[in-house]
Amino acid sequence: MTQKIRVADALGRMLAELGVSQVFGVVGSGNFRITNALVATGARFVAARHEAGAASMADAYSRLTGEVSALSLHQGCGLTNALTGITEAAKCHTPLLVLAADTAVGDVTSNFHIDQDAVARAAGATPMRIHSAETAVSDAARAFRVAQIERTTVVLSLPVDLQDLEIAYPAARPASNIRVPAPVVSTADAAELAGLLAHAERPIIVGGRGSRGAKGALRELADAAGALLIASGGGRGVFEGDEWALDVMGGFATDGAVELIGESDLIVGFGVALNRWTTRGGSLTDHATLVQIDDRIEAIGKHRLVDLGIVGDAAAVAQATTAALSVTGRTDAGYRTPETADRIRRARYWSEQPVEAVDEPGFVDPAALINALDAMLPDERVVVVDGGNVNAYPGAHLRVPDDEGYVLPLSFQSIGLGLASVIGAAVARPDRVAVLGTGDGSLLMGAVELETAVRLRLGMVILAFNDSAYGAEVHIFPDSTPTEQEIVRFPDTDIAAIARGYGCDAITVRSLDDLDGISAWLESDRSRPLVIDAKITGRPSWLMTQDVGH
Ligand SMILES: Cc1ncc(C[n+]2csc(CCOP(=O)(O)OP(=O)(O)O)c2C)c(N)n1
Ligand SMILES: [Mg+2]
């Protein structure tokens, strides 16, 4: 039966019915009703303590589930507070729907008024809005589809006066059963790529985030082509478990992996940006023939010029190329020799590389610490990384079980997104232990979300590498004087005490002898987050020695 309901209630109901099942946000008067309507229709709401946190939670959640989540914000300042996380999501093509209340149409003197469309556009998101009460349902349904199908971050502005008007509901129902045609691959493209693979002596296939749905097809292609496999940072885990796979390409690669990449003559990237990090500024790729396959034409050659670019679906291109290879043929083992197998085994994981640990009294070596933690944690985990000098330790040393076990919220290279991201990851994957590796500076930027993690009873591990500094800045300017460094150094902060104040379990680690608390927590019911305040030696990480831009 048709009834009259408020636009806000209609939108919340409709979006939940379309598939928004998880909402993060901070609720004010402008988004109170729509958020409650989502919840009343079955969506789960997580109240963050700051919009910056809510944005990163939603971003990480959608990265791991592939689902459009919603970020619910108050008008004006709610949106600006969330902007760094929205920018990160937009740069990573996260399918995210931002429900941004807006001031009433024409109310430009409201304290809350800003040009929200301009703000969204400037951040790289797609600005959309509801235009009238009559069109509100179809406006919002369109915004959901754009986020979902175009894999983009949409900021849907919702003027508060329009939200309050009444409309008939159910209105015209948005289509929910959409069939997308199977991707088509040109046989000429597949034959050309097959020809390159057949003639290459040592081919390597790189899988990025965009290759996640194609891993089986890529492994078959690599088998047929005698190619090695490796993931980009964003795609880490995609080839985990394959004996011919290295772990990760780019800044996080081991020295042995760098050597194997350096000896290859053909590098074929699927769903990978081939940016300055993945290619180490080109030094990992410039010697070889470079091929890029991506379903977005604008991605091809964006960061590095390529010898061949194919616009297409990763799995479909891989399958067509495998079929073409069976015609073209490759009779030798390509890069898959016994010697290579041995080198891969030795070079695969950072956690198995020798560490020259330099414990100073009262300070623990960060590489030795992360390797110890890697060995203690269950394999079923989701690893989240923050920025800074220490980011290579969680980013590269913690092994991941598969391509649903890693979140790298560094597309905008902002520090401080880690804590909120790991909360979003833990909400997305309650079946796994969520682990964050972060710096003291990064953690303290968003520490207020520790309360959210406690309230949600998230049994996660938060490892803070505490050097009482913006260590990256110290190491980027090695010739700076102690006086100059004062602006990036801080007194020792008792992060464990702060965490306990929020209700977390916490331990302080000053040497590898202090890890019993971690074992005890792992054996407990894990009803509270564990925060590890690791007082680390202040040396530059191996990543800081690479010059790819900060
Ligand atoms: C939002 C933001 N502000 C500043 C920077 C510049 N920056 C990069 S690393 C870093 C220091 C991070 O400190 P911490 O989290 O303690 O890690 P550390 O470098 O000490 O290991 C800063 C300030 C940034 N990338 N993002
Ligand atoms: Mg630090």
Side-chain angles (χ1 to χ4, degrees), residues 439-441 465 467-471:
D440 51 319
F465 293 93
D467 63 351
S468 302
Y470 293 149

Side-chain angles (χ1 to χ4, degrees), residues 198-273:
H199 293 108
E201 286 180 30
R202 290 176 298 279
I204 293 190
I205 290 176
V206 187
R209 258 173 56 80
S211 73
R212 296 203 311 178
K215 56 185 172 184
L218 289 174
R219 284 166 74 153
E220 278 170 28
L221 176 60
D223 286 346
L228 307 190
L229 292 155
I230 193 165
S232 71
R236 204 169 156 228
V238 69
F239 301 129
E240 182 58 37
D242 191 298
E243 61 170 319
W244 293 103
L246 288 151
D247 184 8
V248 60
M249 168 116 172
F252 290 162
T254 62
D255 295 346
V258 168
E259 284 166 19
L260 283 159
I261 298 162
E263 290 167 36
S264 76
D265 53 348
L266 174 66
I267 298 175
V268 184
F270 283 84
V272 58

Side-chain angles (χ1 to χ4, degrees), residues 387-390 413-415 439-442 445 467 469-473:
N389 169 53
V390 293
Q413 229 176 304
S414 171
I415 61 167
D440 51 319
S442 300
M445 269 194 179
D467 63 351
Y470 293 149
E473 277 54 40

Side-chain angles (χ1 to χ4, degrees), residues 61-325:
Y61 181 92
S62 285
R63 286 187 199 199
L64 284 172
T65 60
E67 290 168 18
V68 180
S69 66
L71 169 61
S72 178
L73 304 173
H74 186 71
Q75 57 269 33
C77 41
L79 176 61
T80 54
N81 264 358
L83 218 48
T84 301
I86 290 174
T87 310
E88 168 67 27
K91 281 180 182 273
C92 191
H93 295 289
T94 302
L96 176 63
L97 181 60
V98 183
L99 301 172
D102 198 356
T103 47
V105 176
D107 189 7
V108 294
T109 58
S110 162
N111 294 68
F112 290 126
H113 179 263
I114 54 169
D115 184 343
Q116 296 199 168
D117 294 345
V119 164
R121 195 174 296 112
T126 304
M128 298 181 79
R129 52 179 48 250
I130 56 168
H131 297 282
S132 68
E134 292 68 37
T135 60
V137 167
S138 53
D139 293 336
R142 199 163 53 245
F144 175 84
R145 287 281 173 243
V146 168
Q148 182 187 45
I149 291 169
E150 296 180 17
R151 298 199 311 272
T152 124
T153 298
V154 172
V155 176
L156 178 66
S157 285
L158 306 159
V160 289
D161 55 337
L162 299 184
Q163 287 195 59
D164 251 353
L165 296 174
E166 295 206 326
I167 55 169
Y169 197 87
R173 303 301 293 266
S176 57
N177 196 0
I178 299 176
R179 306 294 156 99
V180 180
V184 180
V185 181
S186 124
T187 39
D189 293 345
E192 188 168 349
L193 179 52
L196 288 173
L197 284 163
H199 293 108
E201 286 180 30
R202 290 176 298 279
I204 293 190
I205 290 176
V206 187
R209 258 173 56 80
S211 73
R212 296 203 311 178
K215 56 185 172 184
L218 289 174
R219 284 166 74 153
E220 278 170 28
L221 176 60
D223 286 346
L228 307 190
L229 292 155
I230 193 165
S232 71
R236 204 169 156 228
V238 69
F239 301 129
E240 182 58 37
D242 191 298
E243 61 170 319
W244 293 103
L246 288 151
D247 184 8
V248 60
M249 168 116 172
F252 290 162
T254 62
D255 295 346
V258 168
E259 284 166 19
L260 283 159
I261 298 162
E263 290 167 36
S264 76
D265 53 348
L266 174 66
I267 298 175
V268 184
F270 283 84
V272 58
L274 297 173
N275 63 21
R276 69 180 70 184
W277 294 100
T278 303
T279 65
R280 287 199 185 178
S283 67
L284 291 185
T285 49
D286 284 355
H287 64 283
T289 300
L290 191 59
V291 179
Q292 190 179 8
I293 294 96
D294 203 286
D295 63 358
R296 292 179 202 267
I297 191 165
E298 65 272 20
I300 308 259
K302 178 176 174 187
H303 296 275
R304 300 240 51 98
L305 295 180
V306 292
D307 300 289
L308 173 64
I310 299 176
V311 178
D313 174 81
V317 172
Q319 280 156 0
T321 308
T322 305
L325 253 179

